[in-house]
mmCIF file of all heavy atoms in Angstrom:
data_model
loop_
_atom_site.group_PDB
_atom_site.id
_atom_site.type_symbol
_atom_site.label_atom_id
_atom_site.label_comp_id
_atom_site.label_asym_id
_atom_site.label_seq_id
_atom_site.Cartn_x
_atom_site.Cartn_y
_atom_site.Cartn_z
ATOM 1 N N LEU A 112 83.825 99.358 115.978
ATOM 2 C CA LEU A 112 84.729 99.260 114.832
ATOM 3 C C LEU A 112 84.691 97.863 114.224
ATOM 4 O O LEU A 112 84.839 97.682 113.019
ATOM 5 C CB LEU A 112 86.167 99.637 115.226
ATOM 6 C CG LEU A 112 86.383 101.102 115.629
ATOM 7 C CD1 LEU A 112 87.856 101.334 115.989
ATOM 8 C CD2 LEU A 112 85.959 102.077 114.521
ATOM 9 N N ALA A 116 84.123 96.972 110.389
ATOM 10 C CA ALA A 116 85.089 96.204 109.586
ATOM 11 C C ALA A 116 84.457 94.933 109.030
ATOM 12 O O ALA A 116 84.698 94.564 107.872
ATOM 13 C CB ALA A 116 86.319 95.866 110.430
ATOM 14 N N VAL A 182 90.329 107.579 111.848
ATOM 15 C CA VAL A 182 90.248 106.249 112.475
ATOM 16 C C VAL A 182 89.400 105.320 111.598
ATOM 17 O O VAL A 182 89.772 104.161 111.356
ATOM 18 C CB VAL A 182 89.681 106.326 113.907
ATOM 19 C CG1 VAL A 182 89.469 104.921 114.491
ATOM 20 C CG2 VAL A 182 90.611 107.145 114.808
ATOM 21 N N ILE A 183 88.307 105.842 111.087
ATOM 22 C CA ILE A 183 87.439 105.022 110.223
ATOM 23 C C ILE A 183 88.150 104.660 108.925
ATOM 24 O O ILE A 183 88.109 103.504 108.479
ATOM 25 C CB ILE A 183 86.106 105.763 109.945
ATOM 26 C CG1 ILE A 183 85.339 106.006 111.252
ATOM 27 C CG2 ILE A 183 85.247 104.981 108.947
ATOM 28 C CD1 ILE A 183 85.045 104.760 112.065
ATOM 29 N N ARG A 184 88.851 105.642 108.339
ATOM 30 C CA ARG A 184 89.626 105.332 107.134
ATOM 31 C C ARG A 184 90.654 104.229 107.430
ATOM 32 O O ARG A 184 90.880 103.336 106.622
ATOM 33 C CB ARG A 184 90.385 106.573 106.641
ATOM 34 C CG ARG A 184 89.526 107.629 105.940
ATOM 35 C CD ARG A 184 90.430 108.693 105.322
ATOM 36 N NE ARG A 184 89.695 109.808 104.734
ATOM 37 C CZ ARG A 184 89.364 110.906 105.384
ATOM 38 N NH1 ARG A 184 89.689 111.066 106.671
ATOM 39 N NH2 ARG A 184 88.700 111.875 104.767
ATOM 40 N N ALA A 185 91.270 104.308 108.617
ATOM 41 C CA ALA A 185 92.325 103.343 108.972
ATOM 42 C C ALA A 185 91.781 101.922 109.115
ATOM 43 O O ALA A 185 92.487 100.953 108.831
ATOM 44 C CB ALA A 185 93.021 103.769 110.263
ATOM 45 N N VAL A 186 90.536 101.808 109.550
ATOM 46 C CA VAL A 186 89.930 100.473 109.664
ATOM 47 C C VAL A 186 89.662 99.887 108.277
ATOM 48 O O VAL A 186 89.926 98.713 108.019
ATOM 49 C CB VAL A 186 88.623 100.537 110.493
ATOM 50 C CG1 VAL A 186 87.853 99.218 110.413
ATOM 51 C CG2 VAL A 186 88.935 100.887 111.951
ATOM 52 N N SER A 187 89.167 100.722 107.370
ATOM 53 C CA SER A 187 88.818 100.246 106.021
ATOM 54 C C SER A 187 90.016 100.033 105.115
ATOM 55 O O SER A 187 90.005 99.126 104.266
ATOM 56 C CB SER A 187 87.892 101.253 105.316
ATOM 57 O OG SER A 187 86.591 101.167 105.828
ATOM 58 N N ALA A 188 91.026 100.889 105.242
ATOM 59 C CA ALA A 188 92.115 100.916 104.258
ATOM 60 C C ALA A 188 92.774 99.552 104.017
ATOM 61 O O ALA A 188 92.938 99.147 102.862
ATOM 62 C CB ALA A 188 93.155 101.967 104.643
ATOM 63 N N PRO A 189 93.141 98.818 105.073
ATOM 64 C CA PRO A 189 93.808 97.529 104.820
ATOM 65 C C PRO A 189 92.918 96.526 104.082
ATOM 66 O O PRO A 189 93.422 95.667 103.350
ATOM 67 C CB PRO A 189 94.134 97.016 106.233
ATOM 68 C CG PRO A 189 94.178 98.261 107.069
ATOM 69 C CD PRO A 189 93.111 99.146 106.501
ATOM 70 N N LEU A 190 91.608 96.654 104.257
ATOM 71 C CA LEU A 190 90.683 95.733 103.598
ATOM 72 C C LEU A 190 90.625 96.036 102.102
ATOM 73 O O LEU A 190 90.726 95.138 101.264
ATOM 74 C CB LEU A 190 89.288 95.831 104.242
ATOM 75 C CG LEU A 190 89.093 95.104 105.576
ATOM 76 C CD1 LEU A 190 90.073 95.502 106.657
ATOM 77 C CD2 LEU A 190 87.675 95.275 106.079
ATOM 78 N N THR A 202 89.257 88.664 104.742
ATOM 79 C CA THR A 202 88.572 87.720 105.626
ATOM 80 C C THR A 202 88.191 88.404 106.943
ATOM 81 O O THR A 202 88.688 89.482 107.257
ATOM 82 C CB THR A 202 89.511 86.548 105.965
ATOM 83 O OG1 THR A 202 90.636 87.093 106.680
ATOM 84 C CG2 THR A 202 90.013 85.848 104.700
ATOM 85 N N PRO A 203 87.325 87.748 107.717
ATOM 86 C CA PRO A 203 87.010 88.308 109.047
ATOM 87 C C PRO A 203 88.267 88.471 109.919
ATOM 88 O O PRO A 203 88.338 89.402 110.721
ATOM 89 C CB PRO A 203 86.046 87.274 109.638
ATOM 90 C CG PRO A 203 85.380 86.663 108.434
ATOM 91 C CD PRO A 203 86.456 86.603 107.380
ATOM 92 N N GLU A 204 89.265 87.610 109.730
ATOM 93 C CA GLU A 204 90.511 87.733 110.510
ATOM 94 C C GLU A 204 91.242 89.020 110.107
ATOM 95 O O GLU A 204 91.792 89.722 110.950
ATOM 96 C CB GLU A 204 91.431 86.534 110.267
ATOM 97 C CG GLU A 204 90.907 85.212 110.805
ATOM 98 C CD GLU A 204 89.679 84.683 110.059
ATOM 99 O OE1 GLU A 204 89.562 84.896 108.836
ATOM 100 O OE2 GLU A 204 88.809 84.077 110.721
ATOM 101 N N VAL A 205 91.267 89.304 108.822
ATOM 102 C CA VAL A 205 91.877 90.548 108.330
ATOM 103 C C VAL A 205 91.132 91.754 108.917
ATOM 104 O O VAL A 205 91.750 92.723 109.357
ATOM 105 C CB VAL A 205 91.850 90.586 106.780
ATOM 106 C CG1 VAL A 205 92.187 91.983 106.256
ATOM 107 C CG2 VAL A 205 92.819 89.547 106.210
ATOM 108 N N ALA A 206 89.812 91.651 108.951
ATOM 109 C CA ALA A 206 88.992 92.740 109.497
ATOM 110 C C ALA A 206 89.317 92.957 110.980
ATOM 111 O O ALA A 206 89.503 94.094 111.432
ATOM 112 C CB ALA A 206 87.506 92.415 109.309
ATOM 113 N N GLU A 207 89.424 91.865 111.726
ATOM 114 C CA GLU A 207 89.699 91.967 113.160
ATOM 115 C C GLU A 207 91.080 92.583 113.407
ATOM 116 O O GLU A 207 91.252 93.439 114.281
ATOM 117 C CB GLU A 207 89.617 90.581 113.812
ATOM 118 C CG GLU A 207 89.902 90.564 115.309
ATOM 119 C CD GLU A 207 88.902 91.364 116.134
ATOM 120 O OE1 GLU A 207 87.758 91.577 115.676
ATOM 121 O OE2 GLU A 207 89.281 91.792 117.251
ATOM 122 N N ARG A 208 92.069 92.153 112.624
ATOM 123 C CA ARG A 208 93.413 92.720 112.794
ATOM 124 C C ARG A 208 93.412 94.219 112.500
ATOM 125 O O ARG A 208 94.085 94.990 113.171
ATOM 126 C CB ARG A 208 94.410 92.014 111.857
ATOM 127 C CG ARG A 208 94.726 90.604 112.279
ATOM 128 C CD ARG A 208 96.023 90.106 111.653
ATOM 129 N NE ARG A 208 95.972 90.091 110.204
ATOM 130 C CZ ARG A 208 95.820 88.987 109.461
ATOM 131 N NH1 ARG A 208 95.687 87.806 110.049
ATOM 132 N NH2 ARG A 208 95.798 89.055 108.151
ATOM 133 N N SER A 209 92.648 94.590 111.493
ATOM 134 C CA SER A 209 92.595 96.005 111.139
ATOM 135 C C SER A 209 92.008 96.831 112.288
ATOM 136 O O SER A 209 92.494 97.923 112.606
ATOM 137 C CB SER A 209 91.756 96.171 109.865
ATOM 138 O OG SER A 209 91.823 97.498 109.432
ATOM 139 N N VAL A 210 90.972 96.299 112.906
ATOM 140 C CA VAL A 210 90.367 96.973 114.064
ATOM 141 C C VAL A 210 91.392 97.120 115.193
ATOM 142 O O VAL A 210 91.550 98.206 115.765
ATOM 143 C CB VAL A 210 89.138 96.175 114.572
ATOM 144 C CG1 VAL A 210 88.679 96.680 115.937
ATOM 145 C CG2 VAL A 210 88.008 96.235 113.554
ATOM 146 N N GLN A 211 92.092 96.034 115.486
ATOM 147 C CA GLN A 211 93.022 96.057 116.625
ATOM 148 C C GLN A 211 94.165 97.043 116.382
ATOM 149 O O GLN A 211 94.628 97.722 117.302
ATOM 150 C CB GLN A 211 93.588 94.650 116.884
ATOM 151 C CG GLN A 211 92.526 93.656 117.356
ATOM 152 C CD GLN A 211 91.725 94.139 118.566
ATOM 153 O OE1 GLN A 211 92.234 94.857 119.433
ATOM 154 N NE2 GLN A 211 90.446 93.783 118.607
ATOM 155 N N ARG A 212 94.616 97.131 115.130
ATOM 156 C CA ARG A 212 95.731 98.031 114.820
ATOM 157 C C ARG A 212 95.298 99.480 114.819
ATOM 158 O O ARG A 212 96.017 100.342 115.332
ATOM 159 C CB ARG A 212 96.342 97.629 113.476
ATOM 160 C CG ARG A 212 97.075 96.312 113.610
ATOM 161 C CD ARG A 212 97.274 95.631 112.298
ATOM 162 N NE ARG A 212 97.784 94.281 112.526
ATOM 163 C CZ ARG A 212 97.977 93.384 111.584
ATOM 164 N NH1 ARG A 212 97.699 93.680 110.317
ATOM 165 N NH2 ARG A 212 98.456 92.195 111.889
ATOM 166 N N ALA A 213 94.126 99.744 114.269
ATOM 167 C CA ALA A 213 93.619 101.126 114.289
ATOM 168 C C ALA A 213 93.397 101.571 115.729
ATOM 169 O O ALA A 213 93.745 102.701 116.110
ATOM 170 C CB ALA A 213 92.324 101.222 113.477
ATOM 171 N N LEU A 214 92.852 100.661 116.536
ATOM 172 C CA LEU A 214 92.592 100.987 117.947
ATOM 173 C C LEU A 214 93.892 101.225 118.711
ATOM 174 O O LEU A 214 93.990 102.168 119.516
ATOM 175 C CB LEU A 214 91.857 99.832 118.623
ATOM 176 C CG LEU A 214 90.359 99.953 118.793
ATOM 177 C CD1 LEU A 214 89.865 98.756 119.585
ATOM 178 C CD2 LEU A 214 89.960 101.265 119.462
ATOM 179 N N ALA A 215 94.890 100.370 118.480
ATOM 180 C CA ALA A 215 96.175 100.527 119.178
ATOM 181 C C ALA A 215 96.795 101.879 118.833
ATOM 182 O O ALA A 215 97.300 102.587 119.711
ATOM 183 C CB ALA A 215 97.128 99.386 118.800
ATOM 184 N N GLU B 432 103.059 92.606 107.367
ATOM 185 C CA GLU B 432 101.843 93.337 107.725
ATOM 186 C C GLU B 432 102.145 94.795 108.068
ATOM 187 O O GLU B 432 101.317 95.675 107.819
ATOM 188 C CB GLU B 432 101.132 92.643 108.903
ATOM 189 C CG GLU B 432 100.292 91.451 108.471
ATOM 190 C CD GLU B 432 99.050 91.870 107.697
ATOM 191 O OE1 GLU B 432 98.032 92.192 108.329
ATOM 192 O OE2 GLU B 432 99.130 91.879 106.457
ATOM 193 N N ALA B 472 100.540 95.382 118.171
ATOM 194 C CA ALA B 472 99.330 95.027 117.414
ATOM 195 C C ALA B 472 99.646 94.262 116.128
ATOM 196 O O ALA B 472 98.733 93.805 115.450
ATOM 197 C CB ALA B 472 98.515 96.286 117.092
#
Side-chain angles (χ1 to χ4, degrees):
Chain A
L112 294 180
V182 174
I183 298 304
R184 285 188 185 91
V186 170
S187 284
L190 282 56
T202 63
E204 293 69 34
V205 167
E207 179 63 23
R208 288 199 299 256
S209 187
V210 168
Q211 294 307 328
R212 290 160 189 175
L214 260 185
Chain B
E432 279 289 276

